[in-house]
Amino acid sequence: MNNVFDYETVALVDEDDAIEIIDQTLLPGECKLIRLRTGQEIWDAIYLLQVRGAPAIGVTAGFGIYLLTKTSKASSYEEFLAELKEHKDFLNSSRPTAVNLSWALNRMEEHIRDYYAKLMAQDSECGFDKLLPLLIKEMRAEAETIKEEDIKVCRKIGEYGLSLIKDGDGILTHCNAGKLATIKYGTATAPIYMAHEKGLAIKAYCDETRPLLQGARLTAFELSSAGIDTTLLCDNMSGSLMRSGKIQAIFVGCDRVAANGDVANKIGTSMVATLAAYYHISFYVCAPTSTIDLDCKSGDDIVIEQRKAAEVTDMWYEKPMAPEGINVYNPAFDITDNSLITAIITEKGIFRKPYDLKVSLQ
Ligand code: MRU
């Protein structure tokens, strides 16, 4: 079995015009790299969660839009922009909740608009055939920058989060906001990795995270591979664990944070937060500022992805585990009310209640 830390979550392979990802649907049994070349392959990989986690989806989208525009034969800037928008809309339709997807795509478009304006300011007579290769080169550079920034941002979140951890703490996490959801440290796992590196005797607890088991398959795998004392539990066991006194802090990631501090994260997060409030346990949300969506006033504005019934009834079993045709409720995410969140940890600092992220981010 290969070690997941030997591979990049998402990488650009220039010589093959491809994005290389670890196929996360095969973990932990098999660590297999796959290459995505077409728009449909990139869309499918995001939709099927072969690559998942808000920041990793953002990086994939950045590389994706670069690769899709690389073959452009546009004869004018307007034509190029129209193609870019078409690719953007397509990729953006793969998953609705993680804002990093649209954030990365919009950032790529804005960057290219600014860069074109700069080129025009230097030489407004220059023919588009000479400009097109420059625009494409710049798209590659910006996509790489998004990836590099993710590593720095997660490291910073880790440093802030570490300041909230004490020797001997039991730390619970939900879903996977780890290396596999980002490029290197993860968001919610960054403080855990750093506490471990520092020699603190922490214990990590991972909710299995039904229905797609990101906690069992990915987080428990990642943290135990890194040598961290890791325990797996079913989602319905966290209340019992909290009551036992074994949990001192909870760190989770997020897919979108509204301006009022309401948070969308993997389904089940709001249940964990509610229990944490009851047991007076600190509940921290780790959020790169790219995951904060100031256009959403509250969690009510966040679109929640609904997924197929088979993920609940059939996917992990040899035979179906529910009556045929049963109605299934399968939202991929839920909203945790800001009142339940002790603090939101970003790369720009730790924000506390009452949340007004518009002001905090000024
Ligand atoms: O459906 P997934 O696996 O993409 O959901 C991932 C999560 O909910 C993560 O907690 C979130 O994206 C943060 S990743 C740093």
Side-chain angles (χ1 to χ4, degrees):
M1 172 68 188
N2 301 316
N3 188 327
V4 77
F5 292 99
D6 293 340
Y7 300 107
E8 290 206 86
T9 312
V10 184
L12 182 66
V13 187
D14 283 311
E15 61 280 13
D16 196 21
D17 285 334
I19 304 169
E20 191 167 76
I21 58 166
I22 302 171
D23 181 349
Q24 299 193 30
T25 60
L26 302 177
L27 291 172
E30 194 183 346
C31 192
K32 184 178 170 193
L33 296 175
I34 55 168
R35 290 190 179 179
L36 317 171
R37 295 177 187 85
T38 66
Q40 192 62 53
E41 283 172 357
I42 299 167
W43 193 99
D44 288 345
I46 296 174
Y47 177 74
L48 295 172
L49 274 59
Q50 288 174 302
V51 58
R52 29 79 39 216
I57 293 172
V59 173
T60 306
F63 285 144
I65 194 79
Y66 154 65
L67 285 179
L68 297 182
T69 46
K70 194 178 172 193
T71 48
S72 172
K73 302 270 179 291
S75 54
S76 69
Y77 176 59
E78 290 67 32
E79 201 183 316
F80 179 75
L81 266 192
E83 286 176 10
L84 181 105
K85 279 189 160 196
E86 201 175 307
H87 297 313
K88 254 183 77 184
D89 290 346
F90 178 62
L91 293 181
N92 199 31
S93 68
S94 54
R95 292 194 80 186
T97 307
V99 71
N100 297 60
L101 177 58
S102 56
W103 170 84
L105 293 169
N106 289 336
R107 173 168 160 169
M108 293 290 286
E109 181 182 345
E110 276 160 32
H111 184 79
I112 233 51
R113 283 177 182 275
D114 291 349
Y115 181 66
Y116 179 76
K118 232 183 262 168
L119 291 177
M120 282 291 97
Q122 282 163 15
D123 180 4
S124 61
E125 299 299 311
C126 187
F128 191 71
D129 55 329
K130 299 228 167 39
L131 294 177
L132 182 60
L134 297 179
L135 294 181
I136 289 168
K137 195 169 160 217
E138 193 63 19
M139 291 205 53
R140 187 198 179 286
E142 186 62 5
E144 277 293 356
T145 304
I146 291 175
K147 179 176 169 180
E148 291 309 314
E149 278 178 15
D150 180 72
I151 298 172
K152 291 188 198 131
V153 162
C154 288
R155 173 110 206 145
K156 209 68 208 157
I157 288 173
E159 285 165 12
Y160 283 121
L162 178 60
S163 69
L164 303 165
I165 296 178
K166 296 181 302 305
D167 196 26
D169 275 358
I171 299 169
L172 176 70
T173 188
H174 189 75
C175 194
N176 174 269
K179 173 225 153 69
L180 287 163
T182 63
I183 298 304
K184 200 161 179 188
Y185 303 102
T187 57
T189 55
I192 301 175
Y193 284 128
M194 285 187 191
H196 177 67
E197 270 166 34
K198 210 180 150 195
L200 300 186
I202 47 152
K203 284 182 188 297
Y205 292 88
C206 309
D207 282 345
E208 66 175 351
T209 319
R210 287 269 295 157
L212 294 181
L213 304 176
Q214 291 92 331
R217 296 188 304 105
L218 309 177
T219 312
F221 175 54
E222 245 196 77
L223 295 180
S224 59
S225 305
I228 294 168
D229 180 339
T230 306
T231 302
L232 174 66
L233 56 142
C234 298
D235 296 335
N236 55 359
M237 297 169 185
S238 59
S240 150
L241 185 67
M242 288 186 218
R243 189 169 189 275
S244 74
K246 289 193 172 141
I247 300 297
Q248 282 65 49
I250 298 162
F251 287 85
V252 297
C254 58
D255 286 80
R256 197 180 289 243
V257 184
N260 72 344
D262 288 349
V263 160
N265 191 44
K266 179 52 56 191
I267 188 73
T269 302
S270 69
M271 220 165 64
V272 178
T274 307
L275 283 164
Y278 183 79
Y279 288 111
H280 306 290
I281 297 169
S282 299
F283 181 88
Y284 300 116
V285 173
C286 299
T289 52
S290 55
T291 307
I292 299 175
D293 184 355
L294 295 177
D295 291 335
C296 285
K297 276 202 196 122
S298 78
D300 294 343
D301 301 328
I302 300 176
V303 176
I304 300 291
E305 175 184 357
Q306 305 292 324
R307 295 189 63 92
K308 289 188 179 138
E311 289 180 351
V312 176
T313 55
D314 293 48
M315 195 159 167
W316 306 103
Y317 310 113
E318 277 182 16
K319 21 180 206 185
M321 277 297 143
E324 206 183 326
I326 192 79
N327 291 331
V328 171
Y329 177 63
N330 186 18
F333 303 96
D334 62 20
I335 303 293
T336 299
D337 292 331
N338 57 31
S339 61
L340 299 171
I341 301 169
T342 311
I344 298 176
I345 306 169
T346 75
E347 77 277 17
K348 298 202 169 149
I350 301 176
F351 303 141
R352 290 184 187 269
K353 283 183 264 194
Y355 299 106
D356 184 348
L357 298 175
K358 256 191 190 148
V359 173
S360 307
L361 291 178
Q362 262 168 14

